[in-house]
Amino acid sequence: MAGSALRRLMAEYKQLTLNPPEGIIAGPINEENFFEWEALITGPEGTCFEGGVFPAKLIFPPDYPLSPPKMQFTCEMFHPNIYADGRVCISILHAPGDDPMGYESSAERWSPVQSVEKILLSVVSMLAEPNDESGANVDAAKMWREDRLEFERIAQKLVKKTLGIPI
Amino acid sequence: MRTAGITLISVALTCAVIGNAYYQKKQFYPSVVYITKSNPSMAVIYVQGLILVFIMNTFLRKIFFGNLRAAELEHLVERAWYAVTETCLAFTVFRDDFSPKFIALFTLLLFLKSFHWLAEDRVDFMERSPVITWLFHVRVLSLLTLLFTINGTMIEYAYMSTLTKGASVQLVFGFEYAILLTVVLNITIKYVLHTVDLQSENPWDNKAVFLLYTELIIGLLKVILYVAFVTIMVRIYTLPLFAFRPMYYTMRNFKKAFHDVVMSRRAIRNMNTLYPDATPEELAAADNVCIICREEMFTASKKLPCNHIFHTACLRSWFQRQQTCPTCRLNILRPTPANNGPRAQNQAPAPGQQAPQAAQAQGVNQQVDQPFQMPAGFWMGLQAQQGAGAQIQGQNNAPNIGLPPFQSVPPGSLPLFVPPFPPMVHLPPVPAPPPNLTTLTDEELRAMEGNMRQAVEARIQTLQRVQLLLDAANAMMSQYQTAAATANIPGPNVGSAAEAAEKEKKEEKANHSEDAGPSMSEQGKFAGEPLPGSSGVSNESIVQTDTKTMNATTSNENHATPSTSRTRTEPTDEKEMLRRRRLQKFIAQTTTTTD
Ligand SMILES: [Zn+2]
Ligand SMILES: [Zn+2]
């Protein structure tokens, strides 16, 4: 019988395929390796990311779901909670005790209760409501606070880029 | 493309060199002598040799591994850099032995190492892919056999060479191949475990434990090898700097493996002693999917004090990392005082869990501690006369951790708001319970979620009220209990004895009002405080109290803060139900903390 991590990932994949949450597509890049997924996230409506389709990849640890996966956008992103290289920094992706930002309560941290679906939904809500206390991208956080119009302009530019529309 | 170009150039050069030599000397032996005497020619030949080795390596890699995955290649390049650097460092120690032969041997070692790394990655990959073909097994098995043989041969060669010719660079080779042998051993064991697991129909729970112990033993072997090697090197040559990085990592891995084994043993012990197996009825109850592996639970499941049920094996591997309930994050490793006799068993979680809360609540919410101080005075008097003392003391002291002893609190230092706790009233009133939680609207519930300041405040407020209720209930129950004890009514039946106890209590109160003097008058002052929505919180739930729900509810309190905000993304109905149930427990709990 396959390992428990693999079985759980297959179960989650099945679940996500049968009942896909709105605006989210996710699955293994290659069905021979269930520990590397790609996801497409649609920018939430009514936000400056609306209309965009953002690709990301998820890398799962061998001991998933005991440890959280890592998530990284593979397109250009400008957001207070996304590092310049695309890595996503939200509390659900950190195990309790591992707190790079030093502000998160253990409440919303990783635990086996969480799932790929919940991570992706959290990322969608993160796109809608950035947490500007996080220092993943300081410039973006500052701009989000102080110059919302400029932030929205950049976000719109990125949206167009992901859709392949020339700017 | 570039590789092909280099290969072609090299072949052309070699042909030119050989052709030139043969053209000049016309015969085989003189040509060979000519080439070996000429430095440029030899350089070309060496480069050609290197390229041949490289081609050979690529060829073998194709045979044994097929196409490398991106991650494997990345891994390979990264490790190769370290290996090359360390090899260069090793050369500096053995300058005297420097010769083409040793370069060849080191190159061979390097390529063999790369095969070990790749084999390791491949075998780890078995756990990640649902598709394991026969080709995979054939490849891995033949590769492992080959590596075993080569390592064995090289070790033997190095050993014989050292014995006959004395210490030389062969020492390093022998040691390197010994390390590689442990690596192959490790890979083989992992491969066997994975294969057995893949063949069996059911999940193999103990595999994780076997893997842990393999890691530990191999780690120990490696550490011993490194220590021996460094010792020998220091005695014969100098400090082997090139071995330090791998040695450091080996020791770190060993430490980690040791730590993992310790944690695992502790987890297993806890599993076996502290938590009951889930009964078939509990498993049959509605939602019997294990939240860790998302599979159904039929057997071999454990129930935590918070009533959450998981597979024994899943829980065990989780406990190796964190000692919390995966669902509600209740810390399950709180020390439980075991020396208070059988009855304390029931209460054990209560004091242990309340202590940190009380301490923490002090900053936020001074009044929380107040209910304890007055009954504490009450008990001071009682304990002098009664044998029930020890246990009650335990109850009263634990929540007061961090507070000065009762007597030393000057009456003036009481904060403005003291929850009313008049001891003479028929049913001692408790502070306002949270608003009727079962009938909260979705709106109100939503207001308590999220990260916004308001939401957090709302949560804290509710929790503080719950805490207040809890503490008051705690004190009340203590009173009931002592009253019951004086009346020789068996303790655990407080519920059925409640009425009798009540009568007794009134008498008791009358007797002891002198003892508790000052604090009683304090209470008098506050007795008139309004008691919004107070007393109805139910004798019923006291009556219903039994050990099980008690444990459950007390522990529930503990994880209340995290869980209120956690469930955001669950399907609404289920979430709603869950929340309702949890809030109901809050209410029940306010009256059932202690028995
Ligand atoms: Zn399970
Ligand atoms: Zn729990």
Side-chain angles (χ1 to χ4, degrees):
Chain A
M1 203 161 186
S4 58
L6 180 59
R7 271 181 290 139
R8 164 144 171 180
L9 280 170
M10 296 205 300
E12 282 197 50
Y13 177 44
K14 194 174 157 201
Q15 179 64 28
L16 274 172
T17 320
L18 291 177
N19 304 307
E22 211 183 302
I24 291 173
I25 302 174
I29 299 173
N30 169 351
E31 296 213 352
E32 278 184 16
N33 181 3
F34 265 81
F35 285 65
E36 286 173 24
W37 286 32
E38 59 190 346
L40 287 176
I41 295 173
T42 321
E45 277 172 36
T47 71
C48 50
F49 293 100
E50 178 171 353
V53 178
F54 304 99
K57 69 176 186 217
L58 286 145
I59 306 288
F60 296 89
D63 61 351
Y64 183 82
L66 305 178
S67 301
K70 289 188 176 66
M71 182 170 175
Q72 185 172 22
F73 278 99
T74 49
C75 62
E76 196 185 325
M77 282 304 252
F78 185 74
H79 189 281
N81 310 116
I82 302 176
Y83 287 101
D85 62 0
R87 276 179 299 132
V88 179
C89 179
I90 47 173
S91 55
I92 194 175
L93 289 176
H94 298 299
D98 136 47
D99 193 351
M101 294 306 160
Y103 67 91
E104 299 159 350
S105 73
S106 75
E108 291 168 357
R109 298 304 192 76
W110 179 258
S111 116
V113 175
Q114 313 290 11
S115 62
V116 178
E117 184 178 348
K118 286 186 191 170
I119 290 172
L120 295 176
L121 288 170
S122 300
V123 169
V124 170
S125 65
M126 172 201 81
L127 288 178
E129 297 168 38
N131 176 353
D132 60 5
E133 289 167 51
S134 157
N137 185 339
V138 183
D139 293 339
K142 193 160 174 267
M143 194 180 288
W144 168 261
R145 266 197 308 271
E146 292 165 8
D147 191 354
R148 192 65 61 89
L149 280 178
E150 175 66 9
F151 184 92
E152 283 168 2
R153 201 184 60 76
I154 294 180
Q156 277 304 306
K157 216 173 79 187
L158 292 176
V159 165
K160 283 184 186 148
K161 225 177 191 175
T162 64
L163 297 177
I165 302 168
I167 306 156
Chain B
M1 224 24 244
R2 210 175 52 188
T3 330
I6 293 172
T7 315
L8 272 181
I9 292 172
S10 164
V11 170
L13 274 176
T14 314
C15 290
V17 165
I18 294 172
N20 177 45
Y22 198 72
Y23 176 77
Q24 293 202 355
K25 300 292 168 188
K26 308 284 190 234
Q27 277 172 332
F28 181 71
Y29 282 109
S31 307
V32 171
V33 174
Y34 173 77
I35 290 174
T36 46
K37 285 277 161 66
S38 143
N39 274 339
S41 306
M42 270 325 277
V44 169
I45 298 293
Y46 281 142
V47 169
Q48 179 63 59
L50 211 64
I51 286 173
L52 279 180
V53 171
F54 192 80
I55 291 171
M56 187 70 186
N57 172 56
T58 319
F59 179 67
L60 285 177
R61 204 166 62 200
K62 267 271 183 292
I63 290 182
F64 286 117
F65 299 103
N67 287 323
L68 296 189
R69 287 175 299 121
E72 283 174 337
L73 203 61
E74 215 171 273
H75 215 166
L76 184 68
V77 170
E78 186 192 327
R79 288 170 132 182
W81 270 115
Y82 281 117
V84 169
T85 324
E86 278 153 15
T87 309
C88 291
L89 266 174
F91 274 141
T92 61
V93 180
F94 297 97
R95 283 181 301 269
D96 304 339
D97 292 314
F98 197 82
S99 75
K101 185 188 165 199
F102 283 120
I103 297 185
L105 281 176
F106 267 113
T107 317
L108 178 66
L109 176 66
L110 205 62
F111 284 129
L112 279 174
K113 273 188 184 174
S114 76
F115 275 81
H116 284 80
W117 303 328
L118 288 173
E120 201 169 10
D121 278 354
R122 267 302 145 90
V123 170
D124 284 343
F125 187 69
M126 286 177 81
E127 275 198 308
R128 306 179 166 228
S129 176
V131 203
I132 302 291
T133 56
W134 277 108
L135 181 63
F136 179 94
H137 288 287
V138 172
R139 275 175 165 167
V140 169
L141 277 176
S142 50
L143 178 68
L144 288 177
T145 321
L146 185 68
L147 291 181
F148 250 120
T149 325
I150 296 179
N151 288 338
T153 320
M154 294 311 267
I155 291 172
E156 198 191 344
Y157 175 70
Y159 180 71
M160 296 313 284
S161 160
T162 312
L163 272 195
T164 50
K165 297 180 197 157
S168 68
V169 75
Q170 284 298 337
L171 213 65
V172 180
F173 282 121
F175 160 75
E176 290 279 8
Y177 283 109
I179 289 283
L180 287 183
L181 197 64
T182 62
V183 174
V184 184
L185 193 66
N186 195 3
I187 300 172
T188 313
I189 296 173
K190 271 192 207 168
Y191 171 74
V192 170
L193 290 177
H194 290 330
T195 311
V196 171
D197 189 20
L198 281 174
Q199 302 302 322
S200 75
E201 288 295 307
N202 300 310
W204 183 19
D205 297 341
N206 281 330
K207 185 175 125 186
V209 180
F210 281 122
L211 280 172
L212 274 181
Y213 278 97
T214 310
E215 208 64 42
L216 182 74
I217 291 164
I218 298 286
L220 182 65
L221 273 177
K222 279 190 181 176
V223 167
I224 292 172
L225 275 174
Y226 269 109
V227 169
F229 175 66
V230 169
T231 321
I232 294 172
M233 283 298 285
V234 167
R235 289 193 137 188
I236 301 178
Y237 296 93
T238 93
L239 219 52
L241 284 176
F242 59 90
F244 275 22
R245 193 194 65 95
M247 184 160 118
Y248 168 72
Y249 281 104
T250 305
M251 290 192 164
R252 207 176 62 173
N253 285 346
F254 176 65
K255 200 180 142 213
K256 190 180 164 293
F258 185 72
H259 181 254
D260 285 349
V261 167
V262 170
M263 292 307 273
S264 159
R265 289 186 66 95
R266 186 162 83 175
I268 293 171
R269 199 180 53 232
N270 283 351
M271 303 285 300
N272 293 341
T273 55
L274 293 185
Y275 314 115
D277 285 321
T279 61
E281 296 84 60
E282 283 166 338
L283 285 178
D287 183 26
N288 68 339
V289 171
C290 166
I291 200 76
I292 299 180
C293 62
R294 302 286 152 97
E295 281 168 40
E296 295 209 335
M297 294 178 283
F298 299 110
T299 51
S301 304
K302 289 278 183 185
K303 193 173 86 173
L304 292 183
C306 51
N307 275 352
H308 292 121
I309 303 175
F310 309 91
H311 285 127
T312 310
C314 297
L315 203 53
R316 190 180 62 206
S317 43
W318 172 248
F319 280 167
Q320 278 170 36
R321 283 167 182 78
Q322 284 177 36
Q323 286 68 51
T324 55
C325 166
T327 306
C328 64
R329 297 175 204 272
L330 167 73
N331 187 341
I332 49 93
L333 272 197
R334 290 276 166 74
T336 45
N339 49 357
N340 273 3
R343 287 197 54 197
Q345 282 284 307
N346 297 342
Q347 301 166 353
Q353 284 164 6
Q354 281 175 5
Q357 277 178 5
Q360 174 199 10
Q362 252 186 302
V364 195
N365 190 9
Q366 268 288 345
Q367 71 258 35
V368 165
D369 299 314
Q370 295 311 319
F372 286 103
Q373 298 194 355
M374 288 167 290
F378 179 72
W379 294 125
M380 291 301 164
L382 270 183
Q383 279 160 21
Q385 306 170 8
Q386 288 171 6
Q391 189 194 1
I392 292 151
Q393 181 123 46
Q395 280 177 350
N396 274 329
N397 285 350
N400 272 323
I401 280 174
L403 274 186
F406 164 68
Q407 290 94 336
S408 66
V409 179
S413 75
L414 290 174
L416 285 176
F417 169 68
V418 174
F421 200 81
M424 305 302 267
V425 185
H426 173 65
L427 185 80
V430 287
N436 195 352
L437 291 165
T438 39
T439 59
L440 274 184
T441 64
D442 290 4
E443 217 97 41
E444 282 171 297
L445 285 173
R446 217 162 290 131
M448 287 164 69
E449 293 192 8
N451 279 327
M452 305 306 291
R453 191 186 167 83
Q454 279 172 312
V456 173
E457 274 173 2
R459 289 209 292 266
I460 292 179
Q461 240 167 30
T462 310
L463 283 171
Q464 282 174 350
R465 278 197 266 181
V466 168
Q467 173 115 44
L468 213 61
L469 282 163
L470 239 170
D471 295 340
N474 206 3
M476 272 168 59
M477 289 313 296
S478 306
Q479 289 184 344
Y480 280 130
Q481 210 169 27
T482 323
T486 24
N488 284 330
I489 295 162
N493 297 329
V494 184
S496 58
E499 275 185 20
E502 214 120 293
K503 278 183 215 148
E504 294 289 333
K505 192 183 63 175
K506 272 196 269 182
E507 295 167 23
E508 286 292 331
K509 290 271 166 64
N511 291 341
H512 292 292
S513 49
E514 299 104 24
D515 296 334
S519 66
M520 285 306 188
S521 54
E522 284 294 334
Q523 285 171 15
K525 255 195 263 171
F526 297 102
E529 288 269 346
L531 322 166
S534 60
S535 52
V537 188
S538 76
N539 280 329
E540 276 168 41
S541 37
I542 300 179
V543 179
Q544 286 162 2
T545 305
D546 66 17
T547 332
K548 218 159 57 177
T549 55
M550 226 180 53
N551 279 344
T553 47
T554 29
S555 33
N556 218 351
E557 158 69 9
N558 251 308
H559 55 253
T561 323
S563 54
T564 36
S565 61
R566 190 179 43 72
T567 43
R568 186 170 45 198
T569 50
E570 277 174 18
T572 343
D573 287 352
E574 199 186 316
K575 188 170 67 175
E576 207 50 48
M577 287 287 292
L578 237 159
R579 201 191 281 132
R580 284 264 149 79
R581 229 180 297 147
R582 207 178 289 144
L583 291 173
Q584 268 169 356
K585 273 183 190 168
F586 273 178
I587 294 187
Q589 159 190 6
T590 55
T591 51
T592 59
T593 329
T594 53
D595 74 340

